[in-house]
Short mmCIF file of all heavy atoms in Angstrom, two decimals:
data_model
loop_
_atom_site.label_atom_id
_atom_site.label_comp_id
_atom_site.label_asym_id
_atom_site.label_seq_id
_atom_site.Cartn_x
_atom_site.Cartn_y
_atom_site.Cartn_z
N MET A 1 150.88 109.06 120.70
CA MET A 1 151.48 109.68 119.50
C MET A 1 151.66 111.14 119.75
O MET A 1 150.75 111.83 120.22
CB MET A 1 150.58 109.38 118.31
CG MET A 1 151.29 109.61 117.02
SD MET A 1 150.15 109.49 115.61
CE MET A 1 149.77 107.75 115.57
N GLN A 2 152.78 111.69 119.40
CA GLN A 2 153.01 113.10 119.59
C GLN A 2 152.23 113.90 118.58
O GLN A 2 151.95 113.45 117.48
CB GLN A 2 154.51 113.41 119.45
CG GLN A 2 155.37 112.83 120.53
CD GLN A 2 155.14 113.50 121.88
OE1 GLN A 2 154.62 114.59 121.94
NE2 GLN A 2 155.53 112.83 122.95
N ARG A 3 151.95 115.10 118.96
CA ARG A 3 151.18 116.00 118.09
C ARG A 3 151.87 116.21 116.71
O ARG A 3 151.29 116.19 115.68
CB ARG A 3 150.97 117.33 118.82
CG ARG A 3 150.13 118.28 118.05
CD ARG A 3 150.03 119.58 118.84
NE ARG A 3 149.63 120.64 117.94
CZ ARG A 3 149.11 121.79 118.35
NH1 ARG A 3 148.90 121.97 119.63
NH2 ARG A 3 148.81 122.70 117.51
N ARG A 4 153.21 116.34 116.82
CA ARG A 4 153.96 116.58 115.61
C ARG A 4 153.81 115.43 114.65
O ARG A 4 153.66 115.60 113.42
CB ARG A 4 155.45 116.74 115.93
CG ARG A 4 156.11 117.91 115.23
CD ARG A 4 157.52 118.16 115.70
NE ARG A 4 157.57 118.79 117.00
CZ ARG A 4 158.32 118.34 118.03
NH1 ARG A 4 159.02 117.27 117.92
NH2 ARG A 4 158.31 118.99 119.17
N GLU A 5 153.76 114.24 115.20
CA GLU A 5 153.70 113.06 114.34
C GLU A 5 152.34 112.96 113.63
O GLU A 5 152.23 112.48 112.55
CB GLU A 5 153.95 111.80 115.17
CG GLU A 5 155.41 111.57 115.38
CD GLU A 5 155.66 110.48 116.42
OE1 GLU A 5 154.76 110.15 117.17
OE2 GLU A 5 156.81 109.95 116.45
N ILE A 6 151.33 113.43 114.30
CA ILE A 6 149.99 113.40 113.73
C ILE A 6 150.01 114.18 112.39
O ILE A 6 149.51 113.73 111.39
CB ILE A 6 148.93 113.99 114.67
CG1 ILE A 6 148.85 113.16 115.96
CG2 ILE A 6 147.56 114.04 113.98
CD1 ILE A 6 148.08 113.85 117.05
N PHE A 7 150.59 115.35 112.47
CA PHE A 7 150.56 116.21 111.31
C PHE A 7 151.50 115.72 110.21
O PHE A 7 151.21 115.90 109.03
CB PHE A 7 150.88 117.66 111.70
CG PHE A 7 149.73 118.33 112.34
CD1 PHE A 7 149.62 118.43 113.71
CD2 PHE A 7 148.68 118.77 111.56
CE1 PHE A 7 148.51 119.02 114.32
CE2 PHE A 7 147.57 119.38 112.16
CZ PHE A 7 147.52 119.49 113.52
N LYS A 8 152.57 115.05 110.59
CA LYS A 8 153.47 114.48 109.60
C LYS A 8 152.71 113.41 108.81
O LYS A 8 152.81 113.36 107.59
CB LYS A 8 154.66 113.82 110.29
CG LYS A 8 155.96 114.56 110.14
CD LYS A 8 157.15 113.63 110.30
CE LYS A 8 158.09 114.18 111.37
NZ LYS A 8 159.00 113.18 111.90
N LEU A 9 151.97 112.58 109.46
CA LEU A 9 151.24 111.52 108.77
C LEU A 9 150.31 112.12 107.78
O LEU A 9 150.22 111.66 106.62
CB LEU A 9 150.47 110.70 109.83
CG LEU A 9 149.61 109.58 109.21
CD1 LEU A 9 150.50 108.52 108.57
CD2 LEU A 9 148.72 108.95 110.27
N ALA A 10 149.58 113.15 108.13
CA ALA A 10 148.63 113.76 107.19
C ALA A 10 149.35 114.32 105.99
O ALA A 10 148.87 114.23 104.88
CB ALA A 10 147.85 114.86 107.94
N ALA A 11 150.54 114.87 106.19
CA ALA A 11 151.21 115.51 105.08
C ALA A 11 151.67 114.51 104.04
O ALA A 11 151.72 114.79 102.86
CB ALA A 11 152.42 116.30 105.62
N THR A 12 152.03 113.30 104.49
CA THR A 12 152.52 112.30 103.52
C THR A 12 151.41 111.46 102.95
O THR A 12 151.60 110.56 102.19
CB THR A 12 153.57 111.38 104.14
OG1 THR A 12 152.99 110.78 105.30
CG2 THR A 12 154.79 112.15 104.55
N ALA A 13 150.17 111.75 103.38
CA ALA A 13 149.05 110.91 103.00
C ALA A 13 148.88 110.70 101.52
O ALA A 13 148.56 109.65 101.03
CB ALA A 13 147.77 111.49 103.58
N SER A 14 149.15 111.74 100.76
CA SER A 14 148.86 111.66 99.31
C SER A 14 149.71 110.64 98.58
O SER A 14 149.36 110.21 97.49
CB SER A 14 149.04 113.06 98.66
OG SER A 14 150.34 113.52 99.01
N THR A 15 150.79 110.20 99.17
CA THR A 15 151.60 109.22 98.48
C THR A 15 151.14 107.78 98.74
O THR A 15 151.52 106.88 98.07
CB THR A 15 153.07 109.30 98.88
OG1 THR A 15 153.17 109.01 100.28
CG2 THR A 15 153.65 110.68 98.62
N LEU A 16 150.23 107.61 99.71
CA LEU A 16 149.75 106.30 100.01
C LEU A 16 148.75 105.87 98.95
O LEU A 16 148.04 106.67 98.38
CB LEU A 16 149.13 106.25 101.40
CG LEU A 16 150.08 106.49 102.54
CD1 LEU A 16 149.32 106.56 103.85
CD2 LEU A 16 151.15 105.42 102.62
N ALA A 17 148.63 104.62 98.79
CA ALA A 17 147.67 104.07 97.79
C ALA A 17 146.24 104.29 98.24
O ALA A 17 145.95 104.31 99.44
CB ALA A 17 147.94 102.63 97.54
N LEU A 18 145.39 104.42 97.31
CA LEU A 18 143.97 104.56 97.60
C LEU A 18 143.43 103.20 98.14
O LEU A 18 143.62 102.20 97.52
CB LEU A 18 143.24 104.92 96.31
CG LEU A 18 141.74 105.07 96.40
CD1 LEU A 18 141.38 106.34 97.17
CD2 LEU A 18 141.12 105.14 95.02
N VAL A 19 142.81 103.24 99.27
CA VAL A 19 142.27 102.01 99.84
C VAL A 19 140.77 101.99 99.62
O VAL A 19 140.05 102.81 100.14
CB VAL A 19 142.56 101.95 101.38
CG1 VAL A 19 141.93 100.73 101.98
CG2 VAL A 19 144.05 101.94 101.60
N PRO A 20 140.31 101.12 98.80
CA PRO A 20 138.87 101.15 98.54
C PRO A 20 138.08 100.86 99.80
O PRO A 20 138.54 100.17 100.70
CB PRO A 20 138.64 100.03 97.50
CG PRO A 20 140.00 99.58 97.07
CD PRO A 20 140.97 100.02 98.12
N ALA A 21 136.86 101.30 99.81
CA ALA A 21 136.00 101.10 100.98
C ALA A 21 135.76 99.58 101.18
O ALA A 21 135.60 99.12 102.29
CB ALA A 21 134.69 101.80 100.76
N ILE A 22 135.78 98.85 100.10
CA ILE A 22 135.44 97.44 100.14
C ILE A 22 136.32 96.62 101.13
O ILE A 22 135.79 95.81 101.87
CB ILE A 22 135.53 96.82 98.72
CG1 ILE A 22 134.55 97.53 97.78
CG2 ILE A 22 135.26 95.31 98.78
CD1 ILE A 22 133.12 97.28 98.11
N SER A 23 137.59 96.88 101.11
CA SER A 23 138.45 96.05 101.96
C SER A 23 138.18 96.33 103.41
O SER A 23 138.24 95.43 104.27
CB SER A 23 139.94 96.27 101.66
OG SER A 23 140.36 97.47 102.20
N ALA A 24 137.84 97.58 103.73
CA ALA A 24 137.49 97.92 105.12
C ALA A 24 136.20 97.19 105.49
O ALA A 24 136.06 96.67 106.60
CB ALA A 24 137.30 99.40 105.26
N ILE A 25 135.27 97.14 104.55
CA ILE A 25 133.98 96.52 104.81
C ILE A 25 134.19 95.00 105.10
O ILE A 25 133.62 94.46 106.04
CB ILE A 25 133.05 96.69 103.59
CG1 ILE A 25 132.68 98.16 103.45
CG2 ILE A 25 131.80 95.84 103.79
CD1 ILE A 25 132.03 98.48 102.13
N SER A 26 135.02 94.38 104.33
CA SER A 26 135.17 92.94 104.49
C SER A 26 135.77 92.60 105.86
O SER A 26 135.41 91.58 106.49
CB SER A 26 135.98 92.35 103.36
OG SER A 26 137.23 92.93 103.34
N LYS A 27 136.64 93.45 106.35
CA LYS A 27 137.24 93.19 107.66
C LYS A 27 136.18 93.29 108.72
O LYS A 27 136.07 92.44 109.62
CB LYS A 27 138.36 94.22 107.91
CG LYS A 27 139.01 94.07 109.29
CD LYS A 27 140.19 94.99 109.45
CE LYS A 27 140.84 94.85 110.82
NZ LYS A 27 140.11 95.53 111.87
N VAL A 28 135.32 94.32 108.66
CA VAL A 28 134.23 94.47 109.63
C VAL A 28 133.31 93.28 109.60
O VAL A 28 132.86 92.76 110.63
CB VAL A 28 133.48 95.80 109.32
CG1 VAL A 28 132.16 95.82 110.08
CG2 VAL A 28 134.32 97.00 109.66
#
Side-chain angles (χ1 to χ4, degrees):
Chain A
M1 196 188 288
Q2 293 290 341
R3 184 181 159 160
R4 225 174 285 128
E5 280 169 342
I6 298 166
F7 284 99
K8 252 205 233 161
L9 177 67
T12 57
S14 52
T15 62
L16 296 173
L18 179 72
V19 177
I22 299 292
S23 76
I25 293 167
S26 60
K27 178 172 180 283
V28 166

